[in-house]
Amino acid sequence: LDASRAGAAARDPAVSATVGADTTGAPMGQGFVGASLEYSALHLYTGRDPRAVNPVLIALLRNLAPGQSPVLRIGGNSADATWWPIRGMIPPGGVRYALTPGWMRTTSALAQALHAHLIMGVNFAGGRPSLAAAEARALLAGVGRQYVEAFEVGNEPDVYAMFPWYRDRLGKWFYARSSKWNLNRFIAQFSQWRAAMPHDALAGPAFAELNWLSGLPQFISSEPGLRVLTLHRYPLRACVSDPSQPGYPTIPALLADQSAAGVAQAVAPYVSVAHAHGMAFRIDEMNSASCSGKRGVSDTFASALWVLDDLFNLANVGVDGINVHSLPGAAYELFTFKHTGSTWTAFVHPEYYGMLLFAQAFPPGAQLLDTSVSPSSPLKIWATRDPQFRTRVVLINKDPSNTYQVTLQVSGFASQAHLEWLQAPSVSSTDGVTLGGQGFGDETSSGTLPAPQTQTVNPTLGQYTITVPPASAAMLTQ
C-alpha cells in the first residue's frame, strides 16, 4: 500500500464475521431462481420462429438454474388481457391479446430447449370460467402438458376493485370487479374456475398485497387442486411520484434493509402456512419497484446488490422459489435483445449479475450456514455448504461510500480459498458490471461468461482478511 491508501485503510470500518458449522433450513431445491415474462411480449424475447428460438435467451435463463429445469412463469398483467379465441364468442372488453398456434409452437420450443417447468396465467378478470378453461386446454395441447407445472388463476385479483382493468374508446374506465369484491367472493369464484379447468394443478392466489393473506388457511382448505401458493412482491413503487411518500424508489431505499430483509420477514408467516399444508410457496413475480420500475434505480448496479441480498433473505425464511419479472422497455428489464437477420444479441442489465451470483453461491442441495457480523453494518454475510461439503461465503457491501475491512472466520475452513468479485464503476452504474472479472459487455451473442478470474486468499491464524470496496460483493469459495 502507498501512504495515502494506508491512511485510508486505517479509517475503513472494521467488521468481524463468523461462519458457523451448523446448517439451517431445508436444502436448496431445484429451479429456485427463474424469470417471469408476459404473454404479449414473449415473442420479443424468443422471436417468432419455433425452429430458431433466441439462443441467447436460452443461455441466459439456463445460467440461472445450471443443470436444472428452470421454472418460468408466463403471466403478469397480460394474463388477464389474454385469451384463446373461441368461435362465436366476443371477448370481454379488457382482453387485448389473442393466443395463436404460432405462439404455442414457439413457447413449446422454448420450454423444450430449457426442459422448463411453466407456471402459466389464465384469465380471471374476464369473469368467465369458460374463457379460462378454453385457454388452459389450448395451452396444454399447444405448449405441452409435460411442461405445464401449474395454471395461475388471474393476476393480482386482490386489487381488481382498486385499479381499472381497461379503458374503452370513449375514455371510460372499467374495473374487473365491483366495490363489493372481497376475500370471500374471491375464494368462491376461484373454486368456480378450478371446477371448470381441465388440469388439477393450480397456482394462486397471486396477490399483490398482504392484506388478504390472513385468509390463507380458508383459501387452502377450499382448494384441493392447489399446488403452489404464489405471491407478488415489489419493495418499492414506481407509480409513486411524491418523494416523501413511502415506497418512492431511490437507490438508498432499494439498498435499505426494509427492501430485502423486510420483504422476507413480511412473507415468512405465510410461507409457514403453505408448508404446514404440504404446498410450495413461490414469489413468482418480483422486482425492485412496481409499475415497470424506476430509471436511475431499477436499472443500476444497486439492483444487483439488492436482488442478491433479497434472494438470500427469501431463501432463509423458506421461500421455495422466485421469478424476477422482465418486460421489454421496463426500467427493471433483465436483458434487452436485438435481432438482426439470424443473429441475436443482448445487453445484460446489472440486476441479472446479482441473480447469477446467487445461483452460483446457493446450488441445489446446499444449505445455509449460521453467520454473525459485528458490529451491525450495511455489510451482509451469507454462507452455504453444498452436498460436496464445499463452503461459499458471500459478502455484500450495500454501503455506497465506505470500504469495509472484514476479518472472517469460517468454522472448519482454514485453507487457501478463492475470491470472486461482483463489481461496477459505481452503485449508480447501468453498465460496466463484472462478475469474476468478466462481463457481457455492451452486447453478448452467447449469453455466457468466460471462466471467472479469482483472487487467492490465504488465512492467517485461521482467519481471512478481506477488503470489500463500496457497493460491491464477493464470494469466497473453499
Side-chain angles (χ1 to χ4, degrees):
L1 291 175
D2 59 28
S4 61
R5 179 57 200 147
R11 295 189 297 271
D12 292 338
V15 170
S16 295
T18 302
V19 175
D22 296 330
T23 57
T24 63
M28 172 59 71
Q30 298 276 324
F32 182 92
V33 181
S36 168
L37 308 173
E38 297 275 355
Y39 275 99
S40 54
L42 191 63
H43 69 277
L44 297 175
Y45 286 144
T46 61
R48 296 185 183 274
D49 185 353
R51 299 164 299 177
V53 175
N54 179 357
V56 186
L57 171 68
I58 291 171
L60 290 170
L61 293 177
R62 278 181 182 155
N63 293 344
L64 300 177
Q68 306 158 59
S69 293
V71 177
L72 181 63
R73 182 257 189 165
I74 303 176
N77 288 335
S78 61
D80 280 326
T82 296
W83 79 319
W84 177 256
I86 302 170
R87 182 176 298 176
M89 179 180 288
I90 298 174
V95 171
R96 307 182 294 276
Y97 188 75
L99 296 173
T100 66
W103 188 98
M104 297 290 185
R105 287 192 293 269
T106 302
T107 304
S108 179
L110 174 66
Q112 183 178 3
L114 292 169
H115 304 288
H117 299 300
L118 305 180
I119 297 175
M120 310 195 80
V122 292
N123 194 298
F124 189 49
R128 302 182 195 173
S130 59
L131 207 73
E135 187 180 4
R137 285 193 294 268
L139 289 167
L140 289 173
V143 175
R145 184 179 296 268
Q146 68 271 34
Y147 301 121
V148 180
E149 178 173 310
F151 288 116
E152 187 172 47
V153 178
N155 183 72
E156 302 179 359
D158 54 326
V159 297
Y160 277 177
M162 297 170 57
F163 299 108
W165 182 29
Y166 71 97
R167 193 176 188 178
D168 70 9
R169 296 176 184 174
L170 300 178
K172 182 180 179 181
W173 290 105
F174 288 85
Y175 291 78
R177 296 295 187 272
S178 75
S179 59
K180 296 181 180 179
W181 183 240
N182 59 29
L183 177 62
N184 289 332
R185 289 171 184 255
F186 162 75
I187 292 173
Q189 288 195 15
F190 193 101
S191 295
Q192 294 174 17
W193 263 248
R194 182 247 305 157
M197 297 284 284
H199 192 55
D200 283 341
L202 296 184
F207 289 162
E209 307 292 343
L210 302 178
N211 302 343
W212 283 9
L213 287 182
S214 59
L216 203 53
Q218 177 189 355
F219 174 60
I220 292 172
S221 65
S222 302
E223 291 307 325
L226 202 63
R227 175 176 292 180
V228 186
L229 277 161
T230 59
L231 183 67
H232 302 170
R233 288 282 82 198
Y234 293 85
L236 305 177
R237 300 174 183 270
C239 297
V240 174
S241 57
D242 183 351
S244 67
Q245 292 296 307
Y248 182 81
T250 64
I251 286 177
L254 186 60
L255 295 178
D257 281 347
Q258 185 59 32
S259 291
V263 169
Q265 291 162 7
V267 304
Y270 311 111
V271 176
S272 298
V273 171
H275 290 173
H277 287 82
M279 295 184 201
F281 185 100
R282 192 171 188 96
I283 298 180
D284 72 341
E285 181 180 320
M286 62 170 280
N287 213 308
S288 55
S290 58
C291 302
S292 296
K294 174 78 170 178
R295 298 283 175 198
V297 179
S298 302
D299 55 350
T300 69
F301 186 59
S303 69
L305 300 176
W306 162 75
V307 79
L308 177 59
D309 190 34
D310 193 30
L311 296 189
F312 272 112
N313 275 284
L314 293 172
N316 188 42
V317 299
V319 170
D320 296 293
I322 62 91
N323 294 83
V324 177
H325 200 56
S326 187
L327 179 66
Y332 56 47
E333 187 176 14
L334 295 176
F335 20 63
T336 300
F337 292 100
K338 287 195 298 185
H339 188 201
T340 305
S342 61
T343 302
W344 286 90
T345 59
F347 175 75
V348 178
H349 295 274
E351 185 176 4
Y352 179 89
Y353 288 82
M355 297 167 65
L356 188 57
L357 179 54
F358 177 86
Q360 293 176 8
F362 208 160
Q367 290 179 269
L368 287 168
L369 295 167
D370 285 325
T371 62
S372 62
V373 180
S374 179
S376 179
S377 73
L379 187 90
K380 306 301 175 186
I381 305 284
W382 297 97
T384 66
R385 181 189 298 145
D386 69 20
Q388 290 73 46
F389 294 96
R390 176 170 294 177
T391 299
R392 298 174 176 88
V393 183
V394 174
L395 305 93
I396 310 168
N397 184 2
K398 297 200 289 183
D399 188 330
S401 303
N402 288 311
T403 293
Y404 284 84
Q405 297 291 332
V406 183
T407 302
L408 175 65
Q409 184 170 346
V410 184
S411 179
F413 187 161
S415 58
Q416 186 181 83
H418 299 280
L419 200 60
E420 179 180 351
W421 289 97
L422 173 63
Q423 294 178 306
S426 74
V427 72
S428 59
S429 295
T430 57
D431 57 12
V433 182
T434 58
L435 176 59
Q438 308 288 0
F440 291 103
D442 291 335
E443 65 178 25
T444 174
S445 58
S446 68
T448 58
L449 289 176
Q453 301 169 358
T454 59
Q455 174 186 343
T456 300
V457 183
N458 291 300
T460 302
L461 300 177
Q463 296 181 328
Y464 300 90
T465 300
I466 303 169
T467 301
V468 187
S472 67
M475 179 172 68
L476 188 75
T477 303
Q478 183 180 23

